[in-house]
Amino acid sequence: MAHLCLFSLLVLSLVLETQALTPTHHLTTTDVARLQAVLSQPFTDLKSAYYSVVGLSKLGIFVADADETCRFINSNLDPSSVESLFYAAEASQALSGCEIPVTNDTRDLLLATVSEDSTASQIHQSVSALSALGLPLASQEVVSALKARISKEDNVLAIILALQTASRLSQQAELGEILEEIEDLAARLDDLGGVYLQFEEGLEATALFVSAAYSLSDHVDMEPPLKEDQVIQLVNSIFSKKSWDSLSEAFSVASAAASLSNNRFHVPVIVSAQGPAAVSHSHPFLQLQVTDVLCQPLSSASVLVESASAVASKSAILSQAPFTLRDGVFELNFMASQPASGYYQFSVAITGDSRFVANHVELKVKVSTRVAINNMDLSVVDKDQSIGPKTTRVEYPTKAKASFMADSHQNFAMTFQLVDETTGVELTPHQTFVRLHNQKTGQEVVFVAEPDSKNLYKFELDTAERKTEFDSISGTYALYLMVGDATLENPILWNVADVVLKFLDEEAPGTIQAKTLYVPKPEIQHLFREPEKKPPTVVSNAFTALVLSPFLLLLILWFKLGANISNFTLSPSTILFHIGHAAMLGLMYVYWTHLNMFQTLKYLAIIGSLTFLAGNRMLAQKAVKRIAAEQSSRLAKYRSLR
Amino acid sequence: MSNSVFSVISRFVEEYRSSTPNKLKMIDAYLLYILLTGVFQFLYCVLVGTFPFNSFLSGFISCVGSFILAVCLRIQINPQNKRDFLTVSPERAFADFLFAHTVLHLVVVNFVG
């Protein structure tokens, strides 16, 4: 079980180590200068004097006229205020030869402030003032007061001030519990994207925490419980802001930078390439600046390339090659290993001090070279290959003397090689274009020249096949070769020759129009649906008459059969029925011409019900008559039979 | 052969003239009228064209519908069929005929366009 634990821990640490962070944000020399400028502003009161003087002293700079500042401090000192005493005492300690007069009252005031009833800030100020003024203090009392204050005021700033205070106390005091607060505070930091680590209270709190944690750790000589990645994330957070809102913020950044560049445990290393990380034959040295967070060069460091491999082929070029220090810059002659042009992945290690943090850096280095064109051969080949090709060799940068003629029966061909100027190794740059430019019309056609398996570039122009690109415009075209790549120092634009292309004249457009893509297009005329062809009116009328003619026939037949209206009784129901029926027929006609279904149904309901009632009455009467007639006829028949 | 056909036809016509009641003969005349109208409409469609098709359809359906309704009326009125239609008096048959025609003409006029 224990072995398994150990093994997994080992694996985990290895994994973590290979994925170690490197600072993404750091102060450059201009940023440090700006920080100094902010802190060097003329001070208006004691507080700003404290920030300026102490801040600058942390950056290793001393105020110009110390006496003037000392006088200023003394004149602005308010001996009855602990805060004022704190600022004055700290500032005067940073200045050389500046004394603050101390009275017994001052001392008593400061000692009285050290109690559980004062805030952590007050305790911090009084303890700092006492130690700066060289007055004795009882460390154990301070420790107990601090512990009480920490439990009462649980905010981040109070605990940071407690840490700062503890670093001023005697080493014999029991600072163990206060030391544990560093770990608790570290747990409160917010991890932003794995890159930043900061308090939600802001940059100032984070920076003050760093300086307090390291000053206390240095004081008790115990490594702070901060992992390397956490230290780097803190560096990113603190040094990501390059202009500071207030003097106190600038002061906090300066103290953090000072503590990170000079403490006993963790010193983050900043590695940056001087200029672009590129080497070439003219600039064979890869130069690196290796500094601490305050941009001060680490002279005790030794820089080593652990491995350098080509990005494309993953083949290793260098292994364990040291950098040499020259004028504060570490350099390595990479071209001495004769790398081919391209990109290389460098893994650099900075050793020399066990305190170094983020001392493994990955760099991408570009090796540039100059390209030369060899064996540029131009030829015109007949398609049926009955006539052998004539090749003309052209040397860069001259132009071929004679122009080449190619019509639809011939192909124009071009072959060349691209090599590294110094080593003669074949190159395949990203851009190898052949451009044909018609000087008369301004037309330009660009083709790509492709390398074959032996890295020999070939370009063939089939006149007949490519006539659409040229719009079949015959004429003299200037042929250019364009070669370019990120790793080439000398991109090439070379007018190789003139080519006269002949296309079939019938296909050439009459006027050469510039390819206009953004002109209004021709208007589309909408074609509406044609109405169907109707037959002539004569035919329609004739057939209408024909269709209506059987009605006449019907009337004639009925007349012949003896239809009559002799039985027509003029009872109201009969009349009403006939009127209603006629009205319904009329309604049908009106429906055809004017109405819709709903209106018709409405009228039909009214007329129909009337007609129905009248008709019902009428038919009932008829039925009665009929039955009576039948009965009487039956009776007559019966009687006649008897 | 044709002789027997001719004699059958003349016999039929004679029978028809003598034994069919007048009312039925009137309905038969009406049926002939409807038939001819339908035929002439169909003739127009075949000769001239189907434009407008909906009008042709409505006219033709009107003829067909009217023919059917008239045939129904004839069957129901015929005294020889009295035993099959005990509940339906001739007046009732006529009233049904009128009502059905109303519905038919409503649909026909809707479709004729």
Side-chain angles (χ1 to χ4, degrees), chain A residues 33-47:
Chain A
R34 201 181 309 122
L35 185 61
Q36 287 172 6
V38 168
L39 290 170
S40 309
Q41 281 169 1
F43 26 84
T44 50
D45 61 357
L46 194 57
K47 186 173 177 177

Side-chain angles (χ1 to χ4, degrees), chain A residues 532, chain B residues 45 49-60 111-112:
Chain A
E532 285 204 31
Chain B
C45 188
T50 57
F51 181 79
F53 196 52
N54 60 310
S55 309
F56 160 69
L57 276 181
S58 91
F60 196 69
F111 200 52
V112 80

Side-chain angles (χ1 to χ4, degrees), chain A residues 280-282 335 338-341 367-374 418-427 489-490:
Chain A
S280 61
H281 287 285
S282 46
M335 289 312 282
Q338 289 172 342
S341 66
V367 176
S368 315
T369 183
R370 292 179 64 84
V371 70
I373 305 178
N374 283 356
L418 296 171
V419 295
D420 189 324
E421 216 175 52
T422 38
T423 60
V425 170
E426 285 143 3
L427 293 177
E489 284 188 326
N490 60 335

